[in-house]
Amino acid sequence: MQSKRITHTAKKRRRIIASSESNDAEIDDFPHWAKGTVWVELSQDLNCHYQLHKAVLERNSTWFAEELGRTLVEPGGLRRSYLKEIVRYLFRLDPVDGSKEPLLRRTALSGEDRSTPLGVTAMTPDTASERTHDCQQTQALILLEGTKPEPGIPKTEPPAEESSQNRAPHIPTANERLREQELHQQHLSAYHSLFLIYYNRAPEVSTTNISVALSQCELLVSVATYYGSLRVVRPYLGNILSQFRHALYAAIAEDPPRWFKLSIPLESASIFSEALIHLAGCWPHWIWTTPALALSPSMIDLVKRKAKHLNDLRGEVDRELLTNSLSAEGGHPVTFSTSLESWMVVQIFRDWLATQMHNRRRADKAHHGIIYRLMRKGGESYLPLETVSEELEGLRGNGMGSWVEVAEDLKALKEFAMQAVAQLVKNNIMLDVEAARIQYLTCVEVVEEDFPWRKGP
């Protein structure tokens, strides 16, 4: 029994391979596999070097499969001294024309060694949250530099643009250099997470801060898309984001267009639907941080189609509410001459509804859901009997019936309204609209045909 436990424990440990040429021990585990024939350099820092298996890269990346299948003519010369003998392929992360971020390129095994390492330390999900917050503050300071005048000095217009020949070279400020270093580190972390996924390991994406996780997912999706690895990345990111539960849906409500854009490469039906309902319910108002231009024309068209369907439904409900009346003898609508008190109650209800609609239209805000949710509650939540009675007080003694009849008439109108708005106030998002203070309608229906990844060619 003891020998079995020792064997089981040994399987959990990293494999240690003794070198025949020295007393050093070589670790056979991620990110340096002893039999890995592919060497990947993300930076000059040795902590950002990877020795990976050719078969693993070919299986998980269409880009690596193509590059590793290509014949590269070696220029000759000495092999780079730091490369192990087993290594047959070398990739480096270098700047590329036309790309904002550096990309991996296959490089010859021979050539000069790189100079002094950069010394960039690895960033974990825990430190990512703090670094991202600091980075946002830094970015704000950068935006303020040169725009905020010193105390007592009036702000002046910037000088005319100088020609490229006379213009002095731009010297990055300390804040700009910090921002550049932060972006570089985030990029390296995305590659590290991608390689972890290649080996069926969890990516280094925050599981405690949804804002940090969003930024990390966006960058990782961008990198995975370029290297043809989205299919292997999706399950990991989808699982991580789903663990946030309520925090995820609260974050979507804060900036649905950003999540809407991310949901498509992730093929996440839940995130896609949640974001689309927010966007269509609020349309044509745009109250989000992410601009509409960030979405593709096809995405905007889908939002517009859903919003039009919602507005058509609202129009039908409004007509029912404004044309509804009480029945007199014979089943005909009450009139001024047939039943004054009932006719007046109908007019007060219509006047209240029209006023509410008019005020919200003039405010030009996406808060028309409030009125329909009030009517769905019914009872004394709007147009209380006391208010209606006060308005009718002046007509008392002029053929008016009892207040009991007025209460019954008002109750009948509210019960009809409660049923008429039922479809409008249906909540199809995962948040409590009142607790989240969402004022627009959230009844938009999202069907399978709306998912762009489900459509045929």
Side-chain angles (χ1 to χ4, degrees):
M1 294 297 292
Q2 184 178 0
S3 61
K4 289 184 179 180
R5 280 197 294 269
I6 293 175
T7 302
H8 179 71
T9 304
K11 289 180 179 179
K12 294 183 177 180
R13 296 173 181 167
R14 293 181 173 183
R15 292 177 55 202
I16 306 296
I17 301 177
S19 173
S20 59
E21 300 179 359
S22 67
N23 294 326
D24 296 335
E26 182 179 10
I27 297 179
D28 184 26
D29 197 1
F30 185 87
H32 296 285
W33 299 96
K35 294 185 179 180
T37 59
V38 181
W39 192 268
V40 180
E41 297 179 17
L42 299 184
S43 78
Q44 297 176 25
D45 184 358
L46 296 178
N47 291 327
C48 296
H49 289 192
Y50 298 78
Q51 186 179 352
L52 308 175
H53 298 94
K54 177 174 179 287
V56 172
L57 295 176
E58 289 177 327
R59 183 171 61 250
N60 290 283
S61 166
T62 57
W63 183 89
F64 272 111
E66 181 178 349
E67 287 295 313
L68 291 170
R70 182 170 57 88
T71 301
L72 181 65
V73 179
E74 292 286 341
L78 296 176
R79 180 184 174 95
R80 303 177 198 272
S81 61
Y82 59 88
L83 293 179
K84 300 176 183 179
E85 287 299 324
I86 197 174
V87 173
R88 295 292 179 265
Y89 308 90
L90 173 61
F91 292 86
R92 280 180 165 178
L93 192 66
D94 291 318
V96 176
D97 292 339
S99 174
K100 295 181 180 179
E101 300 294 341
L103 299 171
L104 286 175
R105 287 292 178 263
R106 188 173 166 189
T107 308
L109 298 173
S110 58
E112 297 181 359
D113 293 344
R114 287 197 169 185
S115 58
T116 307
L118 293 175
V120 179
T121 58
M123 183 170 63
T124 65
D126 293 333
T127 59
S129 177
E130 299 176 2
R131 294 291 300 276
T132 301
H133 178 70
D134 294 341
C135 183
Q136 292 172 345
Q137 291 183 324
T138 300
Q139 187 176 23
L141 291 173
I142 293 173
L143 294 174
L144 290 174
E145 283 187 3
T147 62
K148 185 176 180 180
E150 294 293 330
I153 302 178
K155 182 177 179 180
T156 58
E157 294 296 326
E161 192 74 22
E162 297 181 8
S163 65
S164 58
Q165 296 179 349
N166 299 330
R167 188 184 306 143
H170 173 70
I171 301 176
T173 64
N175 288 333
E176 289 174 335
R177 288 194 297 271
L178 179 61
R179 174 59 175 167
E180 183 179 356
Q181 183 182 13
E182 175 68 22
L183 292 175
H184 176 67
Q185 182 61 66
Q186 291 174 358
H187 206 68
L188 297 184
S189 296
Y191 276 90
H192 183 71
S193 290
L194 182 64
F195 295 151
L196 282 170
I197 292 175
Y198 285 172
Y199 284 89
N200 300 318
R201 305 189 182 194
E204 292 185 350
V205 175
S206 177
T207 57
T208 58
N209 189 313
I210 187 64
S211 297
V212 174
L214 172 58
S215 299
Q216 291 172 329
C217 287
E218 288 173 330
L219 187 52
L220 182 50
V221 163
S222 176
V223 173
T225 300
Y226 180 81
Y227 295 103
S229 301
L230 265 179
R231 60 182 177 82
V232 296
V233 167
R234 288 189 189 108
Y236 288 91
L237 298 188
N239 179 63
I240 290 173
L241 292 175
S242 66
Q243 300 304 313
F244 283 97
R245 300 181 183 275
H246 182 272
L248 169 63
Y249 299 112
I252 295 174
E254 288 291 326
D255 197 359
R258 187 176 176 183
W259 287 95
F260 191 45
K261 186 176 180 180
L262 177 63
S263 70
I264 295 178
L266 288 184
E267 296 186 0
S268 173
S270 59
I271 295 177
F272 181 92
S273 301
E274 193 85 359
L276 177 56
I277 293 171
H278 284 288
L279 293 171
C282 196
W283 187 269
H285 304 281
W286 199 268
I287 59 177
W288 327 110
T289 302
T290 300
L293 292 176
L295 302 182
S296 66
S298 61
M299 297 167 73
I300 293 295
D301 288 342
L302 177 59
V303 173
K304 288 181 177 180
R305 290 199 304 273
K306 293 295 182 180
K308 182 180 183 304
H309 178 76
L310 176 58
N311 287 332
D312 291 344
L313 179 60
R314 280 182 57 200
E316 294 175 5
V317 172
D318 290 346
R319 279 192 296 272
E320 288 185 11
L321 292 171
L322 290 171
T323 58
N324 181 45
S325 184
L326 296 170
S327 298
E329 294 183 4
H332 299 290
V334 295
T335 62
F336 180 85
S337 58
T338 57
S339 180
L340 176 61
E341 68 278 4
S342 296
W343 181 83
M344 287 297 300
V345 172
V346 171
Q347 303 314 308
I348 291 175
F349 183 90
R350 290 177 179 175
D351 180 69
W352 174 85
L353 180 58
T355 301
Q356 294 293 321
M357 293 178 176
H358 176 72
N359 291 341
R360 279 158 175 72
R361 190 178 299 110
R362 288 191 60 185
D364 196 27
K365 293 181 180 179
H367 57 187
H368 39 259
I370 297 177
I371 180 176
Y372 300 108
R373 293 187 184 115
L374 279 177
M375 286 187 283
R376 181 59 181 172
K377 289 181 179 180
E380 293 291 289
S381 60
Y382 71 102
L383 268 185
L385 177 60
E386 182 179 356
T387 300
V388 176
S389 300
E390 290 177 355
E391 294 186 26
L392 294 175
E393 186 67 33
L395 299 176
R396 188 69 175 167
N398 295 325
M400 291 291 296
S402 67
W403 295 128
V404 174
E405 294 176 348
V406 172
E408 292 177 351
D409 291 341
L410 185 60
K411 179 181 178 182
L413 291 173
K414 289 184 177 182
E415 287 179 348
F416 176 85
M418 184 185 299
Q419 298 303 318
V421 302
Q423 190 174 356
L424 273 181
V425 299
K426 182 181 178 182
N427 182 25
N428 286 332
I429 64 173
M430 299 301 293
L431 295 177
D432 184 318
V433 290
E434 293 190 357
R437 298 182 179 180
I438 295 174
Q439 299 182 346
Y440 46 85
L441 295 172
T442 56
C443 61
V444 172
E445 297 285 346
V446 181
V447 296
E448 188 172 344
E449 289 74 16
D450 294 324
F451 303 141
W453 57 88
R454 300 280 178 86
K455 296 181 179 179

